[in-house]
Amino acid sequence: MLIHRRGFIAGMAALVAVPRQAGAVAPITDPELARFIAGMPKAEYHVHLEGTLEADMKFALARRNGLKLPFADVAAMKASYDFHDLPSFLKIYYDGMKVLLKEQDFYDLAYAYLVKAASQNVIYAEMFFDPQEHLKRGVPMAAVIGGITRARRDAQAKLGIRSQLILCFVRDLSAESAMAALDAALPFKADLVGVGLDSDEKDNPPEKFRAHFAKARVNGLHVTAHCDVDQVDSLGHIRTVLLDLKADRIDHGGNIVQSPELVAIARQRSIYFTVCPTFSGTLRAGLKEPVDVVRAMLDAGLKVTISSDDPAYMGSEYLNDVLIRAVDRSNLTRDELTMIARNGFEAAWLPEADKSALIARLESYLRSAA
Ligand code: HPA
Ligand code: ZN
């Protein structure tokens, strides 16, 4: 039985963009554009593996693990995905992942995402996972990282998709819990490429994790952090992530367009932003009119990449769907779209030669599609 464990204060509804649900958007109308996007080699940097846990897989894993779910069927479960802001989304997301218990469960989860991504011509992905939530249920770190790593290797061998793994600190749990997770993960650091920071931002500023990021860096890991759109003190959090934690990337980060000073710093440091328009496509906080995040960030000269975030909870729309909708919604030109795709490979936490090889595949596609 899934127990609702978290009691978030949903006080930010007015500030948070309402996520777009499947069915709430116009159908995709330009088949030529859809074909161009589908065929394009792509990278993805902001996808939470637990956010790719589809309802049918939840039922299969619950059956395998002897758990009873409080839903009659897949349709009833999906109907419960009724969130309106970050805390109400997180509650559903954390409840859903409780079916993940064994190494094989993590394998199946990661492999299923990689199959879908590869089928959409994603050739490289850096994927988040939230180990603190699994450790709390008594799942050993070896099972979590072991299952995902085995899936990554199999997917590369069988499907040709390359991937790496980013450990996220769950910012609304204690700093001690995050440090314990990092310590438990360090024996597996060869299987990780970086650390990130996700979950509920309210009262959980990035500096709470200063020591964790420092320790991760000493251990050769890259650093990124979520600065979700329209949170309390979004700009303060972006400032800390840029100037104090000196992150290599920022996940979401749209509110930066409200500060010319921070925009200039991000541009000067070539910071890449992993933007997820399905989750937070519109900026509202402190603005007279809502602002399209992708359009505003591009117009500010920032390095935008686009990702799917938690596709299983967002109408099962994976990267191609998200990109097609972004073109429609933000009026992207073909040049802007290809720049976003190129940014996608330039942002990779890979050796320069590997990055160049990925970019060469994109360039070859663009020549053939011209
Ligand atoms: N933001 C914060 N926490 C999350 C997200 C997100 O986009 N997805 C999963 N956990
Ligand atoms: Zn995210």
Side-chain angles (χ1 to χ4, degrees), residues 201-215:
E201 218 154 308
K202 186 166 183 288
D203 301 328
N204 296 295
E207 58 268 29
K208 175 174 167 185
F209 300 93
R210 195 180 280 123
H212 308 64
F213 284 118
K215 191 172 195 172

Side-chain angles (χ1 to χ4, degrees), residues 240-252:
T240 306
V241 166
L242 272 177
L243 299 180
D244 179 349
L245 303 182
K246 297 205 163 42
D248 310 317
R249 290 207 293 249
I250 294 184
D251 304 309
H252 299 297

Side-chain angles (χ1 to χ4, degrees), residues 36-173:
F36 174 68
I37 289 174
M40 188 160 63
K42 291 170 288 282
E44 177 155 60
Y45 296 96
H46 188 152
V47 58
H48 300 259
L49 278 175
E50 297 90 340
T52 70
L53 178 50
E54 291 285 348
D56 53 352
M57 184 179 277
K58 273 189 212 168
F59 274 98
L61 294 181
R63 217 172 300 120
R64 194 158 87 188
N65 289 327
L67 301 172
K68 176 141 176 48
L69 299 175
F71 303 102
D73 53 25
V74 163
M77 179 181 281
K78 285 192 175 174
S80 77
Y81 296 173
D82 179 23
F83 48 89
H84 55 278
D85 61 4
L86 182 58
S88 59
F89 161 73
L90 290 168
K91 179 163 177 30
I92 295 166
Y93 166 81
Y94 288 123
D95 271 348
M97 68 176 73
K98 290 178 186 167
V99 296
L100 295 162
L101 292 175
K102 309 265 168 53
E103 193 258 12
Q104 186 65 41
D105 304 341
F106 289 92
Y107 177 95
D108 291 345
L109 174 70
Y111 198 75
Y113 163 69
L114 289 164
V115 166
K116 281 203 196 79
S119 78
Q120 297 206 349
N121 282 316
V122 173
I123 59 172
Y124 178 67
E126 293 176 9
M127 312 170 298
F128 295 131
F129 72 121
D130 285 327
Q132 282 157 276
E133 290 295 323
H134 309 306
L135 295 176
K136 273 199 310 195
R137 292 195 304 282
V139 183
M141 186 66 89
V144 181
I145 296 184
I148 297 170
T149 303
R150 195 160 61 81
R152 286 178 40 229
R153 294 203 178 115
D154 281 359
Q156 180 152 6
K158 293 182 191 160
L159 310 169
I161 179 169
R162 184 167 181 184
S163 62
Q164 302 202 80
L165 193 54
I166 302 172
L167 180 156
C168 273
F169 302 122
V170 177
R171 65 201 304 162
D172 44 336
L173 297 179

